[in-house]
Amino acid sequence: MPTHKIIVAIDGLSSCGKSTLARELAAQLGYNYIDSGAMYRAITLYFLRNNVDLSDPAEVINAIANINLSFVFNERRNASDIYLNDENAEPYIRDMLVSEKVSEVAALREVRSFAVAQQKRMGRRKGIVMDGRDIGTTVFPDAELKLYMTADPEIRVMRRFQELYAVNHEISLDEVRNNLELRDYIDSTREESPLHRAADAILIDNSNLTREEQLKQVLALVNERIQTTDKQH
Ligand code: DC
């Protein structure tokens, strides 16, 4: 019997472990992993470098017209690097400067329609795991499997702090906590496709799960969905 490829949509607040899970899942399944947040981060990097005035829609539209985003697989990371107009933007997009601005940029209608159109195209052939904030609700409302991830806020702060501290010893816990709280707030209350759990998304709270336990649980869900999809065809 043929095995059909499916789309796995993973949403949730910042630092819930979405990308870790998505990357491992894609590797196990031989699917593509797309970090949609990296796209908003790369757009933000371009806006910062070019002093784009976010309050001027014409300026924003012009800037977007000059942006080309692509993903190139990096074997060392076992994930794709995002390219901003032929430059590997991966080393810059997690900077605090970008993190501080990205929610504001991602709330702009023009930015979202640009990113979402590209994300939809990337899913046309299925076999994709994509994580973000609106993947199960807006980008792939028909995804065969939708997950909504949460974790205890302090655990999320500690995880993000450890990640950032590894590359920048200047970073403080308060800085990380403030940034996460602010992004959570903007991402969940913006007008354009705010973060919310799709009615058919499965809730995964990974506060007390190891990476292995989480992956095992989700792989079981994926296999169940693949079997259902196979039966339907
Ligand atoms: O997942 P992340 O923290 O790298 O995402 C960066 C920002 O991008 C996040 O604060 C909200 C925004 N984002 C979004 O609005 N929609 C997505 N699908 C993914 C990210």
Side-chain angles (χ1 to χ4, degrees), residues 36-37 40-41 102-103 106 112 132-135 183 187 190:
S36 70
Y40 293 99
R41 288 174 177 274
V102 64
S103 286
R112 299 209 73 79
R133 305 293 187 289
D134 61 341
I135 310 304
R183 284 205 289 139
D187 297 344
R190 69 183 178 217

Side-chain angles (χ1 to χ4, degrees), residues 44-45 53 74 87 94 120 122 127 140 148 157 197 233:
T44 304
L45 180 66
D53 177 359
N74 176 338
E87 176 194 7
R94 322 261 161 215
K120 283 180 187 280
M122 291 190 280
F140 301 127
Y148 188 87
V157 170
R197 180 181 165 191
H233 286 83

